[in-house]
Structures are given as C-alpha cells and as structure tokens.
Amino acid sequence: MVSRLPRPADMTRFCQKLNRVKTLEEDMMETSFNRCLSTIDLALLGIGGMVGSGLYVLTGTVAKDTAGPAIVISFIIAGIASLLAALCYAEFGAHVPKTGSAYMFTYVSVGEIWAFLIGWNVILEYMIGGAAVARAWSGYLDAIFDHRIKNFTESHVGTWHIPFLAHYPDFLAFGILLIATTLISFGARVSSWLNHIFSAISMGVIVFILVMGFILARPQNWSASEGGFAPYGISGIMAGSATCFYAFVGFDVIATCSEEARNPQRAIPRAIAIALSLATGAYILVSVVLTLMVPWHSLDPDSALADAFYRRGYAWAGFIVAAGSICAMNTVLLSNLVSLPRIVYAMAEDGLFFQVFSRIHPRTQVPVVASIVFGILMSLLALIFDLEALVQFLSIGTLLAYTFVAASVIILRFQRDKTGATGASSGSEATLPSAETISNNEPKEYESFSDKLQLVSKEKGKGQREPGQLKAAFEPYLDFLSDFYPGEVVTVGVIILMVSAVCLSAILVFGRNQLHLPTWSYVLLLLLFGLGLALSLFLISIHEQKKSTQTFQLPLVPLTPALSIFINVYLMLKLNYMTWLRFTVWLIAGLMVYFGYGIWHSKENQREPQGHAVSARYVVFPSGSLEETVQTVQPSTQPSQGLEETPEEEAKR
C-alpha cells in the first residue's frame, strides 16, 4: 500500500511549528530565581569569564608565532569585533531579562528549532570549555610541584593509549570540578562571592605584572634589530586578531544571569561595557609589557609571563604569576558552571529539553538538578577525555550563537512586542476583534490571510506607523512593499544578509587558495555578493524601527549587527574541516533530541489549538467599509453549508 503523501497544508503547519517564537510574559521581572546580583557582581562574572588562562598563555603564543609585538593591534581589532557582539547581547539582555542568553534571544525572535540548536551547541561549548580549563588548571598546579601528581598517577593507576582518551586519568581536574559544582549549588550569592575573591586576586596579580613589567621594559625590543614592531606584516596582525577574538568569549555569562540581576534593564548593558573594557585593557597592556620585557621571538609559548620574569632575574615573580593564573582559571570555571545549568534550565522550562532539569531548589533558588548532573558530566569529561582536539570546537558554537543574536537584534527591532496577551487563544475557537476593537490604537497580531488584509488596510490609513512598516518617504517609489505584513520584508532582508555574508566570506577565505579563482571572477563574485549585502541593508533600513525605549538600544541598526554577522561568519569559515565535521555530528544528535522530545513537549506547542478543532476565519468588506464577520468552522463529515469550508478547502484558498 502506497503511503499517503503529506498535504501542502500539513507541511505548512509543520514548518510553522519549527519556526514558532516564544511568547513572553507580561511581567518579565517575575522569576523563580533570586534577583540578588548587582552591576558589579555581573561585571566581575564577565571579567572572570574573559580574563582566564588566555592572558597567561595566549599572549605569548600569538606574539611569538603570529603577530610579534603587533599583537597589541591584534587585541585592539579583536576587542572592537567583540564589542559588536557584546552590544547585541546588551540590547537583548536589557529588553528580555530572562535566563538563557543566546538561546532565549533566538527563541523570542527567530524561531524554535534555531533556538534549540543554539542552546544545544552552547551546552557542549560550556561542557568542553569547563573541562578543558580544569585540565589546564590541573596541569599548571602540577607543574609548580614538578609534575609529581602526574608521575604518581601514571605509576599507580596506569596510562591509556586509546584515541580521544587522555594519556592518564586526571583526578585533580575531576576533583576541582566536583568541588566547584558543589559550591555553585548553594546559590547565586555564594557563586558571586567566590568569583569576587578570585577576581580580586587575579586583578591584583595583573596590576603587579603591569607595574613590574613597565619598570623592566626595554624599548629596543620593538626595534628593527629584533625584527621590528610588525614582523609578520598586516596578514600576521589580522591572523592574530582572529585568534585573539576568542580571548573575549565569556561575556555572555552576564546575559545568562540576567534573571538574577536586581535591575537588568540597567545592570546588563553597564556590566557588559565594564567587563569588556577592563578585559580589553588588560590584554592590551599585558601584551605591551610582555613584548617590551623580552624579545618577542624568544618567548616561551607555554608560560610566557613567568618565563619573562625568570629571564630578567626575578624568578620569585613567577610564583605570583602562577597564583594569578590559577585564580584566573578558577573564575573561568565558575563562569562555565554558573552559565551551563541556566541554559539547560531555560530549555527545560520551555519544554524543549527534559523537564527534570527545570526544577528550582526552593531554598537556594538555583536549578540544582541541572547544576549537579552537568557538573558531574563536565567532571567526567575532564577525567578521561583528551580535550585538545575538541577545544577548537568551542569557537564554532560561540560564533554561531553570536551570529544568531545579531540577526535576532535586527528582527526584534523591526517587529511589534509580543507578550502573553497576544498569545494563542485558550479555547478551541479563535475569534477576531470587533469593529470597536479594530479602531483602537493597539492593533493585535493574527496569522491568517484575512487578518493580514484587515491589518494592512488599517495600517495604511494610520498616521503613526508601526515597527516593520515601510517608511512614508519610500511609499511613492516602493508602494508594493506596503502590501506585506509588517516585518515580513525585514525578515527577507535578514535572510539575504545571512546568505550574502556566507557567500562573501567563502569567496574571501577559499577563493584564492582552495578554489583558485582567476582575478576577474574573484573580483566579480566579491562585487556581486557585496551588492547583495548592501541590498539587504537597504531593504531593512527603509522600514520603521521601534521607538526609543528606556532600555539600552544598539546604535546604527542594521549596520552594527550586520558587521557582527559578517565577522562571525568569516571566522567560522576559517576553522578547519574537522571542526565542521564534529559540529555536523553534534547537530544531528541535537536534531534527534528535538524531533524525539522537544517539538512535542514545547510549551508553545501546548498553546496551539489541538487536533482539528481549528476555526476558519473570514473578513467581509460590505459596502467598502472595514467591518468583520467571523464564522467559525468545526471539521465535520457533513457537507459544508453556506460560507463554511472544510480544512482542505481552506488550504486551497
């Protein structure tokens, strides 16, 4: 027997399920969490997430192998690129003060399946990142004690020679993660105070490095005799910027904790600005000091700062640097362990992930089940797996999240606010408003074609334009765009923007080396996709934005998020093919979870009318006036009467 093919109406409803957006509550300050974090608390969490082991390792590696002393410029460029992404997070964190960060931002503006995939990748990012930092913490502490812990483990426990597994089990990394998991389970206030302590020590050590470093600085280390300031040229500076960009990953912990902020509308933007400014300043100044203390070509990539002090005759300073490095890694661990369970909680609370993880402890007011389970999983990763091959996987998940958040900012800026008041109807019949309701100044959103006709006709006659409508100045020239529902053309523009950014970046990355394009076709393709990018920005810009609100708003929309999207996509395409292969495998696993569980248990799915008891809606325009006549249709086996339609006829219509 031949299986029945799905009808177009069924496929349409299925696609609508995949792209449904989260309905926000009227009171977004209502929460099960404890709103106890101040701006300083959030800023220190962000600093802790950014200024970790990278300050002590990354600076030496990039200076020696990629950029030389021009690493200073690399960090400036990377800081500006990170600022574009951070500003997008700041607007969303202030406008939607809910836990979940990039997952939540994507869910309220782009669609459910995209939000799930972002959350799914962020979960893996935090798990691998936390486990990798724990192993680095263990290795750094073991090096101070002349690798006695490693030698003891290898001699008494043994070694492994299995692909993807570590050479030996790292019990120290396993233990520190279990301890940290236990501590963060006591609540946001405990986590914040621990972060305060470690951040204070870390910043004190940074001040020590800067003071001692400028005292020991030798300007001749930047001279031509030592290779000059930019020995690798412009290409080295840009390659260094791409690597340094990942040093600023971590500020999203601020947005993740927005549901625990006392005043998120002000605290989130301010905390992100403070954290990113201090982190950028620390990276730039430490890079200056490091390359002035010793010649850049003689740096030790593994322990550049400690080795620089040792070579200048201050071996004792190495112990202070080591203490600062360990404290900095502690703050990164806390940042990962604080963020991860909150992402999981947000997905579980929305029904997209297993419901058990949405439980909040009544006393500590933290997602205790998610904290413990994923803390143990992270500990097991650190115990047995070789994470070096997986660390680059972190980059693609982060960049993908940044890309979707930037796109979400554009979409959110050009659409009406959606709250619980405009959600799905509670009954089986959906009714449209009467003529009296239509005439007020608070139009509501509906999804049927008839609703679109009604709203478009109404909006054309209004003086004040809604977000997503064509600007009045362009109506004489582009009047056909006025026939679209508010925000539809902007959504098309965002899609064109994303496609153009991917194609343009692909030509820049692969055009010369891998594709071996001749010059004329290389330039032609760059112009073609560049024009596509410009066209998308034009389509978006000619529509009305939301009026200024009391919360922080990103300047120069859509240009600023478009630049962020382009930079993120370009950096993603610079990653090697194995990273993309692992990313694809993880995405497939995520899709299995979503279609096996999430799509059926989603709370947005429960808001929709179930079964086939869906009303058909009609708009009648008698005598040219705008009046509504609503007739509901229940599916029936009886022949349709009068104006009633069957669902099949409605689909054809």
Side-chain angles (χ1 to χ4, degrees), residues 198-517:
F198 291 128
S199 295
I201 297 173
S202 179
M203 288 189 290
V205 172
I206 292 173
V207 172
F208 168 80
I209 292 171
L210 295 178
V211 172
M212 286 293 295
F214 279 115
I215 292 173
L216 300 174
R218 292 175 177 171
Q220 59 266 31
N221 288 330
W222 284 8
S223 65
S225 60
E226 297 290 351
F229 178 73
Y232 296 97
I234 297 296
S235 61
I237 293 174
M238 298 308 297
S241 299
T243 305
C244 293
F245 179 84
Y246 304 118
F248 298 98
V249 170
F251 62 79
D252 55 334
V253 66
I254 298 173
T256 303
C257 296
S258 59
E259 203 163 338
E260 292 160 279
R262 292 174 189 162
N263 185 4
Q265 285 78 11
R266 292 188 177 184
I268 300 300
R270 290 178 180 178
I272 289 178
I274 293 170
L276 194 63
S277 300
L278 291 178
T280 305
Y283 276 113
I284 292 172
L285 291 175
V286 168
S287 300
V288 170
V289 162
L290 180 62
T291 53
L292 284 175
M293 285 176 64
V294 294
W296 61 270
H297 50 76
S298 63
L299 291 170
D300 181 3
D302 296 325
S303 56
L305 283 168
D307 182 68
F309 281 109
Y310 177 79
R311 292 174 57 189
R312 294 300 303 272
Y314 292 87
W316 56 270
F319 290 99
I320 298 177
V321 172
S325 177
I326 290 174
C327 287
M329 284 187 272
N330 284 338
T331 62
V332 177
L333 279 180
L334 286 173
S335 174
N336 278 271
L337 286 169
V338 166
S339 299
L340 176 57
R342 284 154 178 79
I343 299 288
V344 175
Y345 162 82
M347 296 176 68
E349 179 68 14
D350 291 331
L352 300 186
F353 207 51
F354 305 111
Q355 198 67 28
V356 66
F357 296 121
S358 65
R359 295 178 184 173
I360 296 288
H361 194 280
R363 186 173 180 181
T364 61
Q365 293 181 289
V366 296
V368 64
V369 177
S371 298
I372 293 174
V373 170
F374 282 88
I376 293 173
L377 288 175
M378 193 184 295
S379 303
L380 292 173
L381 275 178
L383 176 68
I384 61 176
F385 282 97
D386 178 15
L387 299 168
E388 291 184 8
L390 298 177
V391 166
Q392 207 180 25
F393 188 91
L394 304 178
S395 306
I396 194 167
T398 302
L399 292 169
L400 186 67
Y402 287 179
T403 301
F404 270 85
V405 170
S408 299
V409 166
I410 300 175
I411 294 173
L412 185 73
R413 186 69 71 85
F414 290 88
Q415 71 177 195
R416 295 188 183 98
D417 289 322
K418 295 180 182 180
T419 61
T422 58
S425 60
S426 58
S428 61
E429 293 186 4
T431 59
L432 290 177
S434 63
E436 291 178 336
T437 307
I438 297 172
S439 63
N440 64 25
N441 291 326
E442 297 180 357
K444 295 185 178 181
E445 180 179 352
Y446 304 96
E447 298 298 333
S448 72
F449 177 71
S450 59
D451 299 339
K452 184 187 298 186
L453 287 176
Q454 178 258 322
L455 284 176
V456 169
S457 300
K458 169 178 177 266
E459 297 297 344
K460 277 188 174 183
K462 284 183 62 175
Q464 184 178 1
R465 293 175 177 268
E466 295 292 332
Q469 282 190 281
L470 185 68
K471 291 180 179 178
F474 293 94
E475 272 198 351
Y477 314 101
L478 301 170
D479 185 57
F480 65 95
L481 294 178
S482 301
D483 297 331
F484 291 91
Y485 189 81
E488 279 187 339
V489 178
V490 172
T491 302
V492 173
V494 171
I495 295 172
I496 296 173
L497 170 63
M498 300 280 278
V499 172
S500 300
V502 171
C503 295
L504 187 60
S505 300
I507 297 300
L508 289 172
V509 174
F510 306 115
R512 288 291 190 176
N513 298 327
Q514 282 80 7
L515 300 178
H516 304 291
L517 294 175

Side-chain angles (χ1 to χ4, degrees), residues 105-148:
F105 304 157
T106 306
Y107 201 176
V108 301
S109 56
V110 179
E112 185 173 283
I113 189 171
W114 310 107
F116 177 87
L117 293 177
I118 291 297
W120 182 251
N121 281 293
V122 170
I123 287 173
L124 183 66
E125 171 199 334
Y126 280 127
M127 287 184 64
I128 294 177
V133 171
R135 288 190 71 93
W137 183 95
S138 170
Y140 213 103
L141 188 65
D142 193 26
I144 296 176
F145 296 102
D146 200 24
H147 301 287
R148 293 177 184 175

Side-chain angles (χ1 to χ4, degrees), residues 138-160:
S138 170
Y140 213 103
L141 188 65
D142 193 26
I144 296 176
F145 296 102
D146 200 24
H147 301 287
R148 293 177 184 175
I149 301 173
K150 174 185 175 183
N151 296 333
F152 179 85
T153 305
E154 289 181 343
S155 59
H156 290 78
V157 179
T159 59
W160 301 325

Side-chain angles (χ1 to χ4, degrees), residues 49-82:
M50 286 185 282
V51 183
S53 56
L55 186 74
Y56 300 88
V57 178
L58 186 67
T59 48
T61 303
V62 175
K64 182 174 183 179
D65 300 331
T66 309
I71 184 178
V72 177
I73 300 177
S74 295
F75 269 119
I76 293 173
I77 296 173
I80 294 172
S82 300

Side-chain angles (χ1 to χ4, degrees), residues 19-28 96 98 103-104 106-112 349-350 415-425 445 447 602-608:
N19 290 286
R20 59 195 171 199
V21 296
K22 180 179 174 64
T23 304
L24 296 174
E25 298 86 356
E26 287 287 354
D27 183 10
M28 286 191 288
V96 186
K98 291 292 183 181
Y103 156 77
M104 180 61 66
T106 306
Y107 201 176
V108 301
S109 56
V110 179
E112 185 173 283
E349 179 68 14
D350 291 331
Q415 71 177 195
R416 295 188 183 98
D417 289 322
K418 295 180 182 180
T419 61
T422 58
S425 60
E445 180 179 352
E447 298 298 333
S602 168
K603 286 189 176 179
E604 295 303 319
N605 187 51
Q606 298 170 12
R607 293 177 188 269
E608 297 175 355

